[in-house]
Amino acid sequence: MAHIVIIGAGIGGMPMAYEMREQARKDDKVTVISDTDTFHFVPSNPWVGVKWRTRADIAFPIANYLQKKNIDFIHSGAKRVHPDKNQVELMDGRNVDYDYLIIATGPKLAFDEVPGLGPEGHTHSICHVDHAEKSAQKWEDFCANPGPIVVGAVQMASCYGPAYEYAFIMDTDLKRRKIRDKVPMTFVTAEPYIGHLGLGGVGDSKGLLESAMRDRHIKWICNAKTTKVEAGKMFVTELNDDGSVKKEHELPFDYAMMLPAFKGVDAVFGIEGLTNPRGFILIDPYQRNPRFQNIYSVGVCVAIPPVEVTPVPTGAPKTGYMIESMVAATALNIRSALDGREPMEKATWNAICLADFGDTGAAFVALPQIPPRNVNWFKEGKWVHLAKVAFEKYFIRKMKQGTTEPLYEKYVLGALGIKKLK
């Protein structure tokens, strides 16, 4: 019997638990460790930020659902991973031994890297449902007394889609309230151009997103390094393509949401051979750590280098289907190890993304996500908004049922050439 431990119960951790249980042998034990006892659908956080959704709409307690699939659950944060002991030290003082460890923690939000950034400072966040709820409370106050908005992502951020979504969703909500004319909006991003997305662009993402910004009267500043935030004022240095300073900006705001950079969580940060300098987990092509070969990792906590050098540092995003491909490969590779075989499966890192604009939206398919690509397209339309609403319901239901890839999903995506494994 082997004990397979998964740290994290989010977009990566929950599918990982279900898929690992399916692939593990009958007598193997699968345990999930998480500092939260609920799952929440992170892609819906922009809707929570304007009260189009509540926490109850996108979150549910996980213990019973895991138990139904014969998966143990420990509700305690991981304090420190000890790879030399094959052990996870918990916040409550316990230690959990493992034969195989899968790290699916997601990131640590590095608000501290920009003075005044974040919910404890002067800007809002939609990275976590707690932050989105707090944003929603302030959103109502803002709408009662509207003024300028600044929205975007700071240097070293690696997930730009939600910043665009939130900008467009706020625009739509303000129009519905008939106060859009009272709200100047500025989009501030570390990207070298609108639609870069940390991916070097996808299809005509630059043209389509620039057009969407113009249509909605949202100004933008690219190659932007956010240096500090004070109450009602953001300080931004705009760079030229050669890295020289182009302009210094002092942007007034009455409401601001800026996505932070990500780092690895404290439980793994600084473990030599396990993480890179930012604390992300180092992996080989089989999702396995090169030094500690009984440790695997999936999701946002995986170390992926930027796709290209940019004047202001940008990171590469890890999107939902890309994470699911990591999950599938990891489960099969651990099963191979349990059977005494070398791992063979490699994740495709294919990406499908649905970005809601409030009443319309944009979708992209990048096969694979990291260029050069075999398929590369970006489209806009009202169908995307409807598709994202449907996907929210579908994914939450899938996590409650414990089904990682229903047959119809597998065959429909397969027919489109979108696969999880190489």
Side-chain angles (χ1 to χ4, degrees):
M1 184 188 83
H3 189 197
I4 304 160
V5 173
I6 300 160
I7 306 178
I11 295 290
M14 284 289 282
M16 189 71 252
Y18 292 135
E19 191 121 3
M20 194 68 254
R21 182 65 274 170
E22 289 178 8
Q23 293 297 330
R25 301 167 303 189
K26 183 177 179 180
D27 293 336
D28 293 330
K29 183 179 179 181
V30 178
T31 300
V32 171
I33 295 170
S34 176
D35 60 354
T36 176
D37 61 354
T38 60
F39 171 88
H40 89 270
F41 188 62
V42 174
S44 293
N45 284 345
W47 291 334
V48 175
V50 294
K51 290 194 172 181
W52 291 4
R53 294 288 189 278
T54 66
R55 178 189 290 265
D57 294 326
I58 67 165
F60 62 89
I62 60 178
N64 288 341
Y65 295 102
L66 293 174
Q67 186 178 21
K68 288 178 182 178
K69 292 293 183 176
N70 193 27
I71 300 167
D72 292 344
F73 176 62
I74 298 174
H75 180 203
S76 177
K79 184 176 182 180
R80 194 67 173 170
V81 172
H82 299 286
D84 53 331
K85 299 179 182 178
N86 291 332
Q87 198 171 77
V88 180
E89 179 185 356
L90 302 181
M91 289 292 189
D92 62 13
R94 287 181 289 170
N95 291 296
V96 178
D97 296 320
Y98 63 82
D99 296 292
Y100 294 90
L101 178 66
I102 305 169
I103 299 172
T105 59
K108 179 179 181 179
L109 306 176
F111 294 115
D112 61 305
E113 294 184 344
V114 178
L117 187 71
E120 302 304 316
H122 306 290
T123 64
H124 297 289
S125 164
I126 51 169
C127 294
H128 192 279
V129 67
D130 292 345
H131 300 159
E133 281 191 317
K134 184 176 180 180
S135 300
Q137 293 169 4
K138 296 298 183 182
W139 180 247
E140 288 299 321
D141 295 339
F142 168 79
C143 289
N145 187 24
I149 286 177
V150 176
V151 58
V154 306
Q155 56 275 15
M156 293 296 293
S158 58
C159 190
Y160 296 91
Y164 287 99
E165 283 192 293
Y166 199 49
F168 295 140
I169 287 168
M170 286 191 293
D171 171 81
T172 300
D173 194 63
L174 291 167
K175 287 175 179 173
R176 291 176 181 175
R177 296 170 185 258
K178 302 188 185 302
I179 56 172
R180 179 65 180 89
D181 59 313
K182 299 179 181 179
V183 182
M185 292 182 66
T186 304
F187 190 84
V188 175
T189 179
E191 300 162 273
Y193 54 83
I194 292 298
H196 180 275
L197 302 170
L199 294 170
V202 179
D204 190 28
S205 55
K206 182 178 187 292
L208 285 173
L209 285 174
E210 282 188 354
S211 177
M213 298 282 239
R214 290 190 187 97
D215 287 346
R216 291 162 176 80
H217 308 285
I218 301 173
K219 297 180 179 179
W220 64 79
I221 302 171
C222 296
N223 281 334
K225 181 179 180 182
T226 304
T227 56
K228 66 177 180 178
V229 186
E230 296 178 352
K233 186 180 293 186
M234 189 177 299
F235 295 82
V236 174
T237 301
E238 181 182 2
L239 302 185
N240 292 303
D241 290 340
D242 63 2
S244 61
V245 175
K246 180 178 181 179
K247 188 175 180 181
E248 298 284 356
H249 299 266
E250 292 186 13
L251 303 174
F253 65 83
D254 289 321
Y255 186 94
M257 194 294 296
M258 295 293 288
L259 299 178
F262 291 167
K263 295 172 66 175
V265 299
D266 293 343
V268 298
F269 197 93
I271 298 177
E272 186 176 353
L274 182 63
T275 70
N276 71 6
R278 293 286 296 177
F280 294 112
I281 308 299
L282 299 167
I283 58 169
D284 66 10
Y286 308 102
Q287 304 297 137
R288 179 181 59 178
N289 180 254
R291 178 175 177 183
F292 305 103
Q293 298 206 341
N294 63 338
I295 297 180
Y296 293 72
S297 187
V298 301
V300 180
C301 57
V302 165
I304 299 177
V307 300
E308 61 185 1
V309 176
T310 52
V312 179
T314 57
K318 294 98 173 181
T319 56
Y321 193 78
M322 179 186 186
I323 293 171
E324 290 194 52
S325 77
M326 295 181 189
V327 166
T330 297
L332 290 169
N333 287 332
I334 290 179
R335 178 57 194 254
S336 291
L338 290 169
D339 292 339
R341 295 180 282 111
E342 285 296 308
M344 296 177 57
E345 303 295 346
K346 299 179 182 179
T348 58
W349 290 12
N350 287 336
I352 312 167
C353 185
L354 301 172
D356 180 52
F357 292 178
D359 51 1
T360 179
F364 75 72
V365 175
L367 311 181
Q369 176 167 293
I370 307 301
R373 304 183 179 107
N374 297 314
V375 177
N376 187 49
W377 66 262
F378 191 99
K379 303 292 183 182
E380 184 181 2
K382 290 185 180 296
W383 65 271
V384 183
H385 170 74
L386 299 174
K388 177 140 188 184
V389 172
F391 182 71
E392 172 198 56
K393 309 304 180 190
Y394 167 73
F395 194 88
I396 291 173
R397 183 170 179 266
K398 189 166 72 165
M399 289 300 97
K400 288 182 176 180
Q401 290 183 329
T403 305
T404 56
E405 188 178 44
L407 281 176
Y408 65 85
E409 176 186 312
K410 180 178 181 179
Y411 287 122
V412 167
L413 293 179
L416 296 173
I418 303 169
K419 299 181 182 296
K420 291 181 179 179
L421 301 175
K422 291 185 178 179

